[in-house]
């Protein structure tokens, strides 16, 4: 991913937390027939392996998994994004742009084949996604209905080799310009304008603390 220095984030904790909060990603791989992509939920397990692993699953009828075992892949986790109008800068010689946050993960796939490992991975995923529910759903993996559905999926994990983070939040502009953009975003109701505005405000606060210290 092209990341100018001003937008680069390489703090592992920040990247891991971002993935947990934006865990619906896109799995990309290069095959003989061309590039393939599948949209999937992932579970970040930062404590397994040297750099952590991503746990996922897809439909067995999806041909994407057929040649994934042992292959290096890219998983993209898109975050909030918003259009930035040049009119918000209140200055000449400016152009529109787009602010956004994203994390790219590169890693090697291992297809999980042992039934006990498959159940363990799926129990972890269900627990993660159900934990915020008022009445969490508890999967009974010895149930005939669930067992039949489990036979229709392929479970895998991706050993992480590298993570890249890009927080493009107008850091390459003056604080005054950034504040003007924030005001414009707050007046907009398109895309993720409110979220991007909050992230920009947080960035400015952190920058001021860094300068003061």
């Amino acid at each position: 991913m092209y990341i100018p220095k001003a937008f680069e984030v390489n703090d592992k904790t920040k990247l891991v937390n971002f993935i947990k909060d934006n865990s619906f990603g896109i799995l990309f791989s290069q095959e003989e027939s061309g590039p393939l992509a599948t949209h999937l939920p992932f579970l970040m397990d930062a404590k397994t392996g040297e750099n952590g692993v991503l746990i996922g699953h897809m439909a067995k009828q999806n041909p994407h998994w057929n040649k994934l075992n042992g292959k290096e892949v890219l998983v993209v986790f898109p975050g909030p994004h918003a259009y930035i109008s040049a009119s918000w800068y209140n200055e000449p010689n400016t152009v529109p742009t787009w602010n956004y946050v994203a994390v790219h993960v590169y890693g090697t796939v291992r297809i999980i084949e042992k039934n006990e490992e498959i159940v363990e991975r799926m129990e972890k995923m269900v627990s993660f996604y159900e934990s915020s529910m008022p009445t969490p759903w508890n999967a009974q993996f010895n149930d005939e209905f669930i067992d039949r559905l489990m036979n229709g999926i392929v479970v895998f994990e991706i050993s992480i080799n590298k993570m890249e983070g890009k927080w493009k939040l107008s850091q390459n502009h003056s604080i005054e310009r950034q504040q003007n953009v924030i005001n414009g975003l707050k007046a907009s109701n398109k895309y993720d304008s409110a979220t991007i505005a909050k992230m920009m405000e947080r960035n400015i606060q952190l920058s001021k603390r860094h300068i003061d210290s």
Side-chain angles (χ1 to χ4, degrees):
M1 174 164 55
Y2 169 63
I3 311 178
K5 199 66 180 176
F7 309 142
E8 183 181 24
V9 172
N10 48 32
D11 180 275
K12 183 178 178 180
T13 300
K14 190 169 185 177
L15 298 179
V16 166
N17 288 337
F18 175 87
I19 292 171
K20 289 180 177 179
D21 291 338
N22 301 269
S23 58
F24 194 75
I26 310 169
L27 170 65
F28 294 93
S29 69
Q30 181 64 38
E31 308 298 337
E32 293 176 3
S33 59
L36 286 179
T38 300
H39 298 248
L40 298 167
F42 288 90
L43 173 65
M44 164 59 84
D45 181 355
K47 296 179 180 179
T48 297
E50 186 176 344
N51 300 307
V53 300
L54 291 173
I55 299 170
H57 67 282
M58 67 175 70
K60 193 171 286 185
Q61 291 186 340
N62 184 345
H64 193 171
W65 70 270
N66 289 335
K67 296 182 180 179
L68 281 183
N69 201 36
K71 178 170 289 185
E72 185 169 14
V73 296
L74 164 66
V75 182
V76 174
F77 293 97
H81 60 89
Y83 177 73
I84 308 301
S85 171
S87 65
W88 294 344
Y89 294 116
N90 296 323
E91 293 183 23
N93 302 320
T94 56
V95 293
T97 188
W98 211 281
N99 278 3
Y100 63 94
V101 180
V103 171
H104 286 193
V105 176
Y106 304 83
T108 305
V109 176
R110 180 173 76 91
I111 301 296
I112 307 297
E113 297 179 346
K114 293 182 179 180
N115 186 65
E116 59 269 26
E117 291 188 39
I118 291 173
V119 170
E120 180 205 8
R121 294 332 189 261
M122 294 308 296
E123 282 180 332
K124 285 183 177 180
M125 288 199 76
V126 170
S127 176
F128 174 76
Y129 284 103
E130 286 289 326
S131 61
S132 61
M133 298 296 158
T135 308
W137 177 76
N138 183 28
Q140 301 297 322
F141 287 96
N142 57 353
D143 179 79
E144 183 180 344
F145 171 73
I146 298 294
D147 188 57
R148 190 165 61 250
L149 292 178
M150 291 282 284
N151 288 329
I153 64 172
V154 174
V155 179
F156 61 91
E157 66 180 22
I158 301 172
S159 297
I160 297 173
N161 301 327
K162 182 175 69 170
M163 292 192 291
E164 298 176 322
K166 185 172 184 177
W167 267 239
K168 185 179 181 294
L169 300 171
S170 300
Q171 302 97 314
N172 54 331
H173 290 275
S174 67
I175 296 294
E176 183 180 358
R177 276 191 179 184
Q178 290 182 51
Q179 190 58 60
N180 288 340
V181 169
I182 289 169
N183 294 339
L185 286 167
K186 287 183 175 181
S188 173
N189 61 358
K190 298 201 71 175
Y191 312 108
D192 303 306
S193 296
T195 303
I196 290 294
K198 288 179 182 177
M199 295 184 78
M200 289 182 65
E201 286 179 326
R202 197 175 305 124
N203 251 17
I204 290 175
Q205 291 171 358
L206 290 173
S207 296
K208 288 180 177 179
R209 287 176 194 167
H210 180 72
I211 293 171
D212 293 340
S213 61

